[in-house]
Amino acid sequence: MSRLIAFVFCIAFLFLAGGGVKIGMVLMALVFALLVAFVAYLLVRLFLGPPCS
């Protein structure tokens, strides 16, 4: 998941550097949403722990 976030961030940065501001900003918003979801997932996994068998 973190590699996907980094990949989308790099693509967004390239769009922003190349002048595609609208597409770059949309991709940056997607990166932010993915980061928030990933951190929430990590926090939930931290507090719930591994499943008991």
Side-chain angles (χ1 to χ4, degrees):
M1 182 75 169
S2 60
R3 289 182 183 175
L4 173 68
I5 295 170
F7 175 73
V8 175
F9 176 78
C10 290
I11 297 299
F13 183 77
L14 289 174
F15 269 108
L16 287 172
V21 176
K22 286 187 179 185
I23 296 172
M25 292 301 287
V26 167
L27 288 175
M28 282 295 185
L30 177 64
V31 167
F32 181 73
L34 286 173
L35 276 175
V36 168
F38 187 60
V39 168
Y41 166 74
L42 289 177
L43 286 174
V44 167
R45 202 175 89 185
L46 175 70
F47 287 117
L48 291 182
C52 298
S53 55

